[in-house]
Amino acid sequence: MSKDFLLEIGLEEMPAKYISDSAKQLENRATEWFEEQKIEHGEVMSFQSPRRLAVLVKDVSDKQADRVEEAKGPAKKIAFDEDGNWSKAAQGFARGQGVAPDELTFREIKGVEYIYIEKKVTGIETKTLLPELKKIITDMTFPVSMHWGANEMRYIRPIKWLVALFGEEVVPFEVAGVETGNMSRGHRFLGHETVIPEPKDYEMKLLEEFVVADPFKRKAAIWGQIEEVCAEKGWIVSKDEELLEEVNNLVEYPTVLEGGFEESYLDLPEEILITSMKEHQRYFPVFNKEGQLLPHFITVRNGNHEHFETVVRGNEKVLRARLSDGEFFYKEDLKMKIEDAVAKLSHIVFHEKLGSLSEKMKRVEQVALLLADFLSWSDSDKKDVSRVSEIYKFDLVTNVVGEFPELQGIMGEKYARIQGEKPEVATAIREHYMPTSAEGPLPETELGSLLAIADKLETLVSFFCVGMIPTGSQDPFSLRRSAFGVMRILLNTGWNLPLAELLKEIVTIERNAGIATLSDEEIYVEAQTFLKNRLRVLLQDQKVRLDIIDAVTSEDANFVPDIMERAKLLNDSAQKDWFRPTIEALSRVANLAKKHEENVEINDQLFENEAEKQLFDELISMKRDFASLTSKERLERFREMRGAIDQYFDTTLVMSEEKERRDNRLEVLFELAEFIKEFAEMDAIHVK
């Protein structure tokens, strides 16, 4: 026999951005619980809305399956005392397993006999175990949580009702003073309380009370209605998945409506209009077939068509106020000169330990010019670097960015173009914020890429200089995101910047600015470790094997694109026939080279066989060509060298009793190993 199981947590309205993850967490916890309890079941369905998180588990067995459990005890040699009776160890094992000593048997494992027990365990009825599900509710975690009433428990929002049904039976337990039952609640304004006779009726009963509980059906209904409006009007609406997801989590019974605003507002920058609609009001902007923004919007109401015109007018009124503010702020900003805005930055604190935004920008300019020198940029290009570094944060004091923080950088570019800045400089102002997320777009221009790296590296190092280093999951200043951004931009541009040297130079810049409180070595080690760990994550994202990641990141994180290229070359070659013997040969060279104690000048007169001469010739060739070879060519050269290495070890005793000959051979191996090590720590790669 099997029955469906339903668990619903009824809550006050939750923040939309946390609902989907919370519902997934509940689904995962419920699934894990049934598996841990060894209760057979069918499909696990997840439901969510602003006021509820729920799971419905189909075809749940009415009891655990009977099973046989095995347990291994002490070795047979200590199972009996001197008189041949069961020892205390054996008796204790039997007692712990809930059996009599006479039920114990013996089994041989790898030549040793052990006490063994097989016992039949009768499955427990599911309804007896289900009250334990209370724990999956109380154990849930959320990005934000709160106390309410006299409860000590913290939760995303106060729990208002609980439904727990196994078939038609209520599963009894309580959480935070709320007892389970079969009574759910419908839409806050259109619906009423409703009895859920059994789990299979859940969706239907809620729909009768104006709640679409299935988030996928609700989202499909929203987008379907939007498409109907667009088809009727000849409009185009971009399917913004992030906005659609948020809107979906704001409503329980969606009804799409359309509204409009005065055409005169179209004279404003499009970004102000779209941000007002999307970010502030959760409206969908409307375009024509040519991609031009229209004075209309589409939004979603949490309800039906009652009082529809009133709702439309209300939404238009709210948006009109937003656009009126935006228009005023924009016109006021056009009166401001960039130099005046920059002057105000000296009064804005970046961080109490790191000074003002003006001071930060001066440090970033030094870092940016340092990068430009490493990249051999021209004097003309460096002038652009200096100019953009002097002004790139100016839009933070504009009225529009104050009202719409999402437009930082975007408005900076627009205002810079209006005031006659070079297009490259204006674009870099916007691009220096990129990427704004793990998978976000990257700067497209070189100046924007350079400024983004300089700003992020300076931010990271400056916080490390004053000991504000992320620990565990705590990263209040998003330094991990800054580090990932630097790595991604370096990979995108292909700039093999000497990151290790750069870090030391930036620490000096920070110390000269008077903000470094830790020692240079402490700052460098912490920053290098931090960057290397971010690089390792990026390599893992590229599906590079962990041992290969260890091999290419054994030294400091330095030339990032080069490290990525070497890692991918090794990873892609790992299944080829030549890979294992080549890595083994190179590892043998590297391992023996560790016995090298002092540098000597290689004397070819001490060679005893052709294999020594051939390996020496390979070393000379490597010294001549290595700098000009690509990573792919270097790996190919190592592959070709394998035969000479194998022949060398087959015919040559490296650790000769003659010190002069031994030192000579170790010098050859040591110098060869330095080239190998520059490519990767080959002995870290698993080939067995």
Side-chain angles (χ1 to χ4, degrees), residues 595-612:
K595 298 181 182 295
H596 176 267
E597 294 179 347
E598 57 181 302
N599 293 326
V600 299
E601 185 174 346
I602 298 173
N603 182 357
D604 57 3
Q605 298 302 310
L606 294 174
F607 295 160
E608 290 187 321
N609 55 56
E610 285 299 317
E612 281 196 86

Side-chain angles (χ1 to χ4, degrees), residues 495-518:
W495 290 342
N496 269 306
L497 289 169
L499 205 53
E501 185 177 345
L502 271 171
L503 284 178
K504 293 176 181 178
E505 295 279 3
I506 297 172
V507 171
T508 300
I509 290 171
E510 303 294 334
R511 188 167 296 285
N512 290 340
I515 63 172
T517 58
L518 302 180

Side-chain angles (χ1 to χ4, degrees), residues 242 408 430-443 456 478-489 538 541:
E242 187 174 336
Q408 61 183 6
R430 170 176 54 83
E431 290 186 333
H432 92 271
Y433 286 104
M434 297 179 172
T436 56
S437 63
E439 301 298 328
L442 298 169
K456 290 170 174 58
S478 300
L479 299 185
R480 290 188 180 91
R481 189 175 71 187
S482 294
F484 276 126
V486 169
M487 298 293 177
R488 288 188 61 209
I489 296 170
L538 283 177
D541 290 343

Side-chain angles (χ1 to χ4, degrees), residues 490-491 494-496 535 538-539 542 544 548 552-553 559-573 629-635 678-680:
L490 289 174
L491 291 172
W495 290 342
N496 269 306
L535 177 57
L538 283 177
L539 289 166
Q542 295 295 315
V544 177
I548 292 176
V552 297
T553 60
F559 303 100
V560 173
D562 179 60
I563 291 174
M564 178 66 76
E565 183 181 12
R566 286 184 279 124
K568 286 185 174 181
L569 281 169
L570 290 167
N571 206 61
D572 293 343
S573 302
L629 297 176
T630 65
S631 293
K632 186 176 182 179
E633 290 169 339
R634 289 176 181 180
L635 184 58
E678 187 172 331
F679 193 91

Side-chain angles (χ1 to χ4, degrees), residues 573-629:
S573 302
Q575 301 305 316
K576 296 180 179 179
D577 292 341
W578 58 265
F579 188 75
R580 176 177 175 175
T582 299
I583 298 301
E584 288 177 338
L586 297 174
S587 297
R588 195 172 180 186
V589 171
N591 286 327
L592 267 170
K594 294 174 183 176
K595 298 181 182 295
H596 176 267
E597 294 179 347
E598 57 181 302
N599 293 326
V600 299
E601 185 174 346
I602 298 173
N603 182 357
D604 57 3
Q605 298 302 310
L606 294 174
F607 295 160
E608 290 187 321
N609 55 56
E610 285 299 317
E612 281 196 86
K613 295 177 182 177
Q614 185 179 354
L615 189 64
F616 181 64
D617 288 342
E618 294 285 357
L619 174 60
I620 296 301
S621 175
M622 191 68 77
K623 286 182 177 180
R624 182 186 66 241
D625 302 334
F626 196 78
S628 63
L629 297 176

Side-chain angles (χ1 to χ4, degrees), residues 39 47 84 87 101 128 132 164 166 196 208 273 289 376 380 456 525-526 553 590 597 642 687:
I39 299 173
F47 300 94
S87 66
T128 303
E132 297 177 13
F166 186 41
I196 311 295
E208 291 175 357
L273 301 177
K289 293 180 180 178
S376 301
S380 175
K456 290 170 174 58
V525 170
E526 291 283 2
T553 60
E597 294 179 347
R642 192 248 299 179
V687 292

